[in-house]
Amino acid sequence: MTETIYAQDGFDIRLEWGAEGVDVLAAECGVLVIVDVLSFSTAVDVAVSRGARILPLPYKDERAAEAAKAAGAVLGGEREWSLRPASLTDIPSGTLLALPSPNGASLCVRAAATGVRVVAGCLRNARSVAGHALAAAGGRPVGVIAAGERWSVDGRPLRPSFEDFVGAGAIIAAMRVLGRGKPSREAAAAAAVALATDDLDVALTECTSGVELITWGHPKDVELAGELDVSTAAPVLVDGVLVDVS
């Protein structure tokens, strides 16, 4: 009974956070949309829109990195390409890039292990991802996972983040426009926040994660992440690799 409550049973569109959210929603949903706006999901969108492919890796997993390299993937950071979206705007079509991250990439791997269809969503591709997720769910619920960030303290617990809440909300709002059924209260709240936020691009520069990246000298990454519905890509995990199926 408890598991059903946490899974937001009875709702067509559901929202949860992080790894625990993946575990709870995967069993009942036809699709899980992983939202990590700053920066994994945005990096994925920029790359696959150019015809590249992304191999998500668990964070700090040396065995996974070695396997990726053996498969012919370029490891993020080895060349100019990295988790930073701005580094991927000229990535050549056909490139297989392995990207580890503690949030978005790790959640994609975790979700894939459950057998659920996995899609990477962000503000840039919100409408496209919403349409694909609804079609691919086959009448089953769609789960949207806001990745969140990590506090820089021992244990690195989850820090719910503004950018992932509004990114998830933008995708959920697009699903509702497309006519899908009832969202959970959590999902409806995220959609309402996204719709009520004027100038999302400016809001991203003012939220904690955006300020952090700008302070580190990466304003272009925040700019790219704040662009709403500029992409038609639908990055789906196919045999462990994120590719654009749009």
Side-chain angles (χ1 to χ4, degrees):
M1 180 65 178
T2 301
E3 290 77 7
T4 301
I5 293 171
Y6 291 151
Q8 300 166 31
D9 189 41
F11 295 100
D12 301 301
I13 307 171
R14 309 175 185 188
L15 170 76
E16 259 305 339
W17 288 89
E20 292 80 6
V22 167
D23 295 344
V24 165
L25 296 188
E28 295 194 20
C29 292
V31 173
L32 286 187
V33 180
I34 307 298
V35 182
D36 183 2
V37 172
L38 293 173
S39 295
F40 178 77
S41 298
T42 299
V44 168
D45 176 77
V46 171
V48 303
S49 294
R50 292 189 52 81
R53 298 170 295 151
I54 299 295
L55 175 63
L57 295 181
Y59 192 56
K60 293 185 177 180
D61 187 329
E62 292 184 4
R63 290 176 300 175
E66 290 170 0
K69 197 166 186 177
V74 178
L75 293 178
E78 277 194 343
R79 301 183 188 176
E80 65 271 25
W81 308 316
S82 70
L83 194 59
R84 293 184 50 233
S87 74
L88 302 173
T89 55
D90 294 321
I91 192 170
S93 178
T95 302
L96 176 59
L97 178 65
L99 279 184
S101 85
N103 301 308
S106 296
L107 293 177
C108 284
V109 174
R110 190 181 187 107
T114 71
V116 73
R117 189 170 182 85
V118 179
V119 187
C122 60
L123 289 168
R124 296 175 60 85
N125 59 21
R127 185 183 298 119
S128 180
V129 163
H132 175 81
L134 291 177
R140 296 181 68 194
V142 174
V144 182
I145 302 295
E149 298 295 338
R150 297 285 160 182
W151 287 102
S152 297
V153 295
D154 290 343
R156 295 179 61 81
L158 177 74
R159 174 173 68 80
S161 60
F162 169 82
E163 70 275 8
D164 291 344
F165 194 58
V166 296
I171 294 167
I172 293 164
M175 289 183 193
R176 299 192 70 180
V177 169
L178 291 170
R180 184 59 187 258
K182 190 175 182 182
S184 67
R185 289 293 181 178
E186 291 82 355
V193 169
L195 291 172
T197 303
D198 295 327
D199 301 323
L200 276 169
D201 55 342
V202 175
L204 248 62
T205 69
E206 297 174 341
C207 73
T208 301
S209 302
V211 171
E212 180 181 48
L213 283 178
I214 291 169
T215 301
W216 288 350
H218 306 307
K220 184 63 176 178
D221 292 337
V222 181
E223 179 185 336
L224 288 167
E227 295 176 329
L228 179 64
D229 286 326
V230 297
S231 169
T232 60
V236 175
L237 202 61
V238 179
D239 296 328
V241 177
L242 285 160
V243 296
D244 178 18
V245 301
S246 63

